Amino acid sequence: MTLNIPFENTYAQLAPDFYTRQDPTPVKAPRLLAFNDGLGELLGVQRAEDAVLAEIFGGNAIPDGAAPLAQLYAGHQFGNYNPQLGDGRAVLLGEVVGSDGIRRDIQLKGSGPTPYSRNGDGRAWLGPVLREYVVSEAMHALGIPTTRALAAVATGETVWREGGLPGAVLTRVAKSHLRVGTFQIFAARGDAKALKTLTEYAIARHYPQANGPMGLLRAVRDAQVELIAAWMSVGFIHGVMNTDNSSIAGETIDYGPCAFMDVFHPNRVFSSIDRMGRYAYSNQPQIAVWNLAQLATALIQQFDDPEAVVEEATEIVHAMPEMIEAAWLRRFRAKIGITGAQEGDMELITDLLGLMADGQADFTNTFRALTTGGARDQFLAPEQFEAWQQRWTQRLADEDSPQDTMARANPVLIPRNHRIEQMIAAAVAGDFAPFERMMRALATPFADEAEFADLRHPPAEDEVVKATFCGT
């Protein structure tokens, strides 16, 4: 049983210090649940019969040219350093160069235990697999850098968590799976040679214009600046911004307890394990800076005299907050129809967000309604919005086509938490129609299509999802 995947592997050619050779563990009865035809075409992955795809992406058959391995990394988890993590339930099959010239990893997630599983079973259940499939593809459609989903396969096996749950495997595609934690583990070990190799590899793969370790640090910073601002602009909360979940490529990676806000509040937290609010919505910019500082600390360990580059590394990191604010302001200006910059724009935007928090306004629907004149209805106390609206209308007098600007910046649809939970419950019961419908709707999130009007609605009181889970 074969499938034509044009692998061109480079990470597997690095020294064994960076990974463990590891085949996925076969499953009992693989069944294809979803295959992303558009992404497959981009990657040059031949479309085959469902049974063939299920065998490959369920982990039962290794395609020609693959070099399966589990990557090694460490990371700070909620601020506490864990000296060795690694792919505990994932196997990198290999890399392909797409028709767009970009090299990407193809990885099986939920593919069985590895040496880094830490007594875990290495499996995933259906819920988190479908959640990541939907949310990652929605993020891509929103134009936000992200890992993507190529396939989802049911395993025909039971995964035991609080109880028995149906097992599944996700095929994840990323520009790479290099993380801040990949650098941290070799810095902690004092392995300057491995750090140099890893730095050169990351530069060659992602930022060929970068000059040395500090050039890499700048490039990662710049990519993360734009990523965080993009998250904030759509009300996205990653939920677990540990350094092992921080991508060197500047992509959104590891969709665990993630969520899009309904009612806006800057301190919103969904993750069931984030009890102190470390990764709350409004904290994401400063956590990105903190994570970059950990990368800087790791990168300088490869120099013979680390102290000689501390000042440069510090300057690079310290520039990040102001850069995030500028990127944030650019995106939120667009959300209220502004393309030019004027003094007072920041106050205008933050005043609106304050009114939204006080008035329990829906984040997505309020911004979208600015284009139609219906935003007033989103607030518990509409008269407070009316006073802001007068200031806003005066500001828009200096703009040429504010409605067009807002329509491009404000999506109609996001993958709302309650809809995801309903979709998962239906799939567990054997009904995949809600999953397929969500995928169709979220493929064009800026389109106002009547057939998907119900997906715009915030949750009813009994539908509110108060906590999200990692799903491991």
Side-chain angles (χ1 to χ4, degrees):
M1 184 174 295
T2 61
L3 179 67
N4 181 25
I5 300 178
F7 287 114
E8 293 184 17
N9 305 323
T10 59
Y11 199 80
Q13 296 170 14
L14 298 178
D17 299 346
F18 296 95
Y19 55 80
T20 297
R21 294 284 187 180
Q22 174 76 48
D23 286 348
T25 302
V27 300
K28 181 180 178 180
R31 178 171 60 89
L32 187 70
L33 301 175
F35 184 78
N36 190 333
D37 288 296
L39 180 57
E41 183 177 353
L42 174 68
L43 301 176
V45 178
Q46 175 189 9
R47 186 61 160 100
E49 295 179 0
D50 286 2
V52 174
L53 295 174
E55 287 288 319
I56 297 293
F57 297 120
N60 283 21
I62 308 299
D64 294 341
L69 57 86
Q71 292 182 320
L72 174 65
Y73 48 86
H76 278 88
Q77 299 181 306
F78 290 88
N80 300 307
Y81 185 67
N82 190 321
Q84 180 168 305
L85 295 170
D87 291 332
R89 61 185 183 121
V91 167
L92 174 64
L93 286 182
E95 307 154 21
V96 298
V97 178
S99 58
D100 56 359
I102 297 175
R103 180 178 299 274
R104 295 179 177 87
D105 288 351
I106 298 179
Q107 182 197 67
L108 302 185
K109 189 174 180 181
S111 54
T114 76
Y116 315 122
S117 295
R118 292 169 289 164
N119 298 318
D121 61 11
R123 291 302 189 186
W125 75 277
L126 181 63
V129 166
L130 294 184
R131 172 183 285 271
E132 181 160 348
Y133 199 112
V134 168
V135 179
S136 63
E137 285 303 297
M139 289 287 269
H140 172 71
L142 287 167
I144 299 175
T146 178
T147 60
R148 297 190 62 187
L150 178 61
V153 173
T155 64
E157 299 176 345
T158 299
V159 173
W160 294 97
R161 296 297 181 258
E162 293 81 7
L165 298 163
V169 177
L170 175 77
T171 303
R172 180 165 69 183
V173 175
K175 288 185 178 178
S176 83
H177 286 83
L178 295 178
R179 311 153 187 268
V180 171
T182 315
F183 291 81
Q184 286 183 287
I185 193 166
F186 297 109
R189 292 177 176 181
D191 191 341
K193 180 180 178 182
L195 273 173
K196 290 178 181 178
T197 298
L198 192 60
T199 299
E200 291 169 358
Y201 180 83
I203 289 173
R205 182 157 180 178
H206 295 303
Y207 306 109
Q209 77 284 0
N211 182 19
M214 293 301 97
L216 175 62
L217 185 64
R218 284 191 183 88
V220 173
R221 177 198 63 189
D222 295 352
Q224 287 287 336
V225 161
E226 293 300 324
L227 179 65
I228 298 302
W231 287 359
M232 304 294 280
S233 74
V234 293
F236 178 74
I237 304 169
H238 185 278
V240 60
M241 288 177 65
N242 297 330
T243 57
D244 55 293
N245 295 335
S246 179
S247 165
I248 297 300
E251 293 184 313
T252 314
I253 192 170
D254 288 327
Y255 291 91
C258 63
F260 286 77
M261 280 191 291
D262 296 305
V263 171
F264 173 74
H265 196 283
N267 297 327
R268 184 73 68 207
V269 174
F270 285 95
S271 171
S272 63
I273 57 176
D274 191 4
R275 297 180 179 88
M276 303 301 293
R278 176 181 174 87
Y279 300 140
Y281 171 79
S282 61
N283 287 346
Q284 292 179 132
Q286 68 192 56
I287 291 298
V289 177
W290 194 90
N291 286 349
L292 189 77
Q294 310 318 306
L295 177 61
T297 300
L299 285 171
I300 64 176
Q301 302 306 315
Q302 65 191 274
F303 289 91
D304 294 334
D305 182 10
E307 291 297 325
V309 294
V310 167
E311 183 176 354
E312 183 180 3
T314 301
E315 290 176 356
I316 293 169
V317 174
H318 283 185
M320 193 176 186
E322 186 174 341
M323 294 175 68
I324 293 176
E325 181 177 290
W328 181 95
L329 183 56
R330 185 183 72 250
R331 285 184 175 271
F332 274 82
R333 276 194 178 111
K335 290 180 75 65
I336 64 169
I338 297 172
T339 54
Q342 290 186 14
E343 187 176 352
D345 288 347
M346 174 67 81
E347 182 180 4
L348 187 65
I349 295 165
T350 55
D351 284 353
L352 173 61
L353 292 172
L355 291 174
M356 288 170 62
D358 292 342
Q360 299 184 36
D362 183 87
F363 185 90
T364 302
N365 289 348
T366 298
F367 279 108
R368 187 69 189 191
L370 291 176
T371 66
T372 62
R376 180 183 184 279
D377 298 334
Q378 297 292 324
F379 294 82
L380 290 178
E383 63 277 3
Q384 295 179 348
F385 171 76
E386 290 172 355
W388 179 89
Q389 188 177 30
Q390 291 180 0
R391 297 162 53 201
W392 175 56
T393 301
Q394 293 174 356
R395 175 65 181 86
L396 291 188
D398 297 325
E399 296 293 323
D400 292 332
S401 53
Q403 268 66 36
D404 291 343
T405 299
M406 287 186 284
R408 291 191 297 268
N410 296 314
V412 175
L413 297 176
I414 55 167
R416 293 186 180 268
N417 301 325
H418 67 298
R419 292 299 190 188
I420 291 175
E421 293 301 320
Q422 291 166 5
M423 173 270 292
I424 290 172
V428 169
D431 179 10
F432 286 85
F435 164 75
E436 293 165 357
R437 183 168 184 258
M438 285 191 76
M439 292 303 300
R440 291 196 304 274
L442 294 168
T444 54
F446 295 92
D448 191 354
E449 300 182 31
E451 65 173 309
F452 301 127
D454 57 303
L455 297 180
R456 298 182 59 172
H457 299 160
E461 186 175 349
D462 61 348
E463 294 176 322
V464 173
V465 176
K466 296 181 179 180
T468 52
F469 301 86
C470 283
T472 54

